[in-house]
Amino acid sequence: MATKKILIVPGDGIGQEVTSEGKKVLDKIASKYGHTFNYDEALIGHAAIEKTGNPLPDETLTKMRASDAVLFGAVGHPKYDNDPTAKVRPEQGLLKMRKELGLYANLRPIKLFDELLEASSIKPEILRGADILFFRELTGDIYFGEKGRKNNGDTAYDNAEYSRFEVERIARKAFDSARTRRKKVCSVDKANVLETSRLWREVVQKVAAGYPDVEVEHQFVDAAAMMLIKDPRRFDVVVTANLFGDILTDEASQIAGSMGMLASASIGDGTGVYEPIHGSAHDITGKGVANPLASILSAALLLDISFGMKKESDAVINAVDKVLKEGYRTKDIADARTASDNVLNTSAMGETVLKFI
Ligand code: NAD
């Protein structure tokens, strides 16, 4: 029995809708297993800009640091997507959070629930059994380097930078994790063109030497993007830089059937942050159709990684599996075979998961 402080940071759009389902699941786990989870809530993104003018208010950061884990939703608003000149933007809150909390590793498990084989746009025989764990570096690369305009604004630049220690710490996490899985690491870079990638490869090779029991391969990002669709089962652990990881994990979301199914954990030296990989999805906000399973599976990752509660985490994953086996779907993962009564709205899907825990 444990007592933990969890900060709920729903953010914007469907972030609000799905995070409340993730919280319900945590509540259920606490009562079933005799834990005490104390919650607080904080603002980020557009919601925070509206109230405070700041996408990541100091109060939110302080609360994050004082928590044992953060369950996060998403940030974003169409107002900014269509206005590249906006100086204050919701995503700044996200990037600052990652930097301030030292969240240098983003873990994205890509695992297909058998029941969703048909929901993917990839052929079932290629997908069956695919199980990949991405380690995306989160605090370096082109996202955080110097950026700006020159030549009267007609030329723009974004600098990519990596330091040895940044590559080394995420590579170690990836190799440690591979030891608990199928003992394979694929490091993805663009070492034929980019200097940051050449440093990346050099460091990963050095780290790999300390893990002789783990098979390592290096792939260029363009080849890896192709291989993910052609033969996803060949991958076990994939480790890559921030920008490549951002793109490849969205591509890999198709292996899991929908963006609404994929959870992630951002970890580093302090409080871990758990969030769906999807954004604030304003096209479906307020319609009650958002799939909450990514947030619920993020709660499962939180239990496992930040609290070491493996059996509680498995209980959540098994409940999601059962819900899918029973034929329940949200709209994004429903197909022609789904009975119309089994297409659930966001909160009904959350309640159904609770029943199976
Ligand atoms: P998105 O992930 O919000 O949506 C992409 C598509 O997937 C949309 O059609 C959406 O309806 C669908 N989708 C996403 N999540 C779903 C769910 N749970 N259930 C059902 N369908 C789902 O990406 P986008 O449309 O490119 O971006 C929208 C906003 O989100 C932008 O402002 C963007 O900056 C922001 N964003 C935030 C994050 C984050 O907070 N981590 C990540 C990506 C995008």
Side-chain angles (χ1 to χ4, degrees):
M1 289 204 300
T3 300
K4 299 284 182 189
K5 268 165 88 172
I6 303 174
L7 186 68
I8 307 288
V9 186
D12 306 320
I14 64 164
Q16 305 266 351
E17 299 164 34
V18 297
T19 311
S20 52
E21 303 310 313
K23 177 171 178 284
K24 272 189 206 165
V25 163
L26 290 170
D27 273 338
K28 175 80 182 193
I29 289 291
S31 72
K32 187 174 158 106
Y33 290 88
H35 301 303
T36 305
F37 294 161
N38 297 313
Y39 302 96
D40 197 355
E41 205 166 300
L43 291 168
I44 195 167
H46 172 67
I49 297 173
E50 290 287 283
K51 279 232 166 104
T52 69
N54 182 350
L56 182 67
D58 290 344
E59 192 192 340
T60 299
L61 207 47
T62 306
K63 283 183 178 181
M64 285 175 165
R65 290 199 171 108
S67 303
D68 294 309
V70 174
L71 186 69
F72 179 79
V75 296
H77 193 277
K79 182 168 130 184
Y80 308 91
D81 296 341
N82 301 322
D83 178 10
T85 62
K87 289 269 179 292
V88 180
R89 315 181 61 85
E91 298 76 19
Q92 291 163 344
L94 192 67
L95 295 183
K96 187 167 173 208
M97 171 182 84
R98 291 172 179 166
K99 201 83 186 171
E100 291 286 331
L101 296 183
L103 302 170
Y104 61 82
N106 185 235
L107 276 67
R108 297 187 176 191
I110 310 271
K111 191 166 161 40
L112 181 67
F113 288 91
D114 273 350
E115 311 310 314
L116 295 182
L117 272 174
E118 301 293 335
S120 173
S121 43
I122 306 174
K123 286 188 201 129
E125 62 268 28
I126 302 232
L127 278 186
R128 200 183 304 275
D131 179 0
I132 310 173
L133 179 58
F134 272 91
F135 281 78
R136 167 187 168 196
E137 201 289 329
L138 211 55
T139 53
D141 208 354
I142 196 161
Y143 292 14
F144 290 97
E146 193 191 337
K147 51 187 83 246
R149 295 276 179 116
K150 53 189 182 184
N151 296 337
N152 297 324
D154 290 338
T155 304
Y157 58 92
D158 298 277
N159 285 348
E161 261 186 46
Y162 265 120
S163 301
R164 206 170 278 281
F165 82 95
E166 291 177 304
V167 184
E168 195 178 319
R169 63 187 179 180
I170 188 152
R172 283 195 189 288
K173 285 232 183 287
F175 279 88
D176 284 342
S177 171
R179 277 191 165 155
T180 69
R181 296 172 49 98
R182 302 195 305 280
K183 298 193 170 56
K184 278 173 69 176
V185 170
C186 175
S187 172
V188 175
D189 62 36
K190 186 78 183 166
N192 50 343
V193 179
L194 301 176
E195 197 53 40
T196 41
S197 280
R198 283 193 272 272
L199 176 73
W200 182 278
R201 192 173 284 215
E202 184 189 316
V203 175
V204 171
Q205 277 166 344
K206 270 209 181 116
V207 170
Y211 295 79
D213 51 326
V214 178
E215 185 189 323
V216 61
E217 70 169 328
H218 300 270
Q219 273 192 14
F220 295 136
V221 63
D222 36 354
M226 179 271 292
M227 209 42 96
L228 260 180
I229 299 297
K230 188 168 175 236
D231 186 13
R233 278 175 298 204
R234 65 176 282 154
F235 295 102
D236 177 18
V237 170
V238 177
V239 60
T240 191
N242 203 346
L243 176 64
F244 299 153
D246 195 356
I247 299 166
L248 290 180
T249 50
D250 265 26
E251 181 191 355
S253 74
Q254 280 314 293
I255 295 170
S258 164
M259 299 271 282
M261 293 299 302
L262 284 186
S264 83
S266 299
I267 57 172
D269 306 319
T271 313
V273 176
Y274 299 84
E275 57 178 304
I277 80 155
H278 62 73
S280 48
H282 283 271
D283 52 335
I284 56 167
T285 299
K287 295 185 178 156
V289 297
N291 184 347
L293 294 178
S295 179
I296 288 170
L297 292 168
S298 300
L301 281 177
L302 181 159
L303 292 166
D304 182 7
I305 299 175
S306 275
F307 298 172
M309 297 177 179
K310 181 80 174 112
K311 71 174 180 306
E312 290 84 338
S313 173
D314 284 346
V316 176
I317 296 168
N318 291 337
V320 170
D321 197 25
K322 284 198 190 118
V323 163
L324 297 171
K325 282 207 167 80
E326 293 291 319
Y328 296 109
R329 302 282 186 273
T330 42
K331 203 173 151 207
D332 56 311
I333 50 172
D335 61 30
R337 299 165 312 155
T338 312
S340 58
D341 285 356
N342 281 353
V343 181
L344 306 180
N345 65 27
T346 308
S347 63
M349 180 52 102
E351 294 296 332
T352 310
V353 174
L354 296 188
K355 273 194 224 147
F356 286 100
I357 291 179

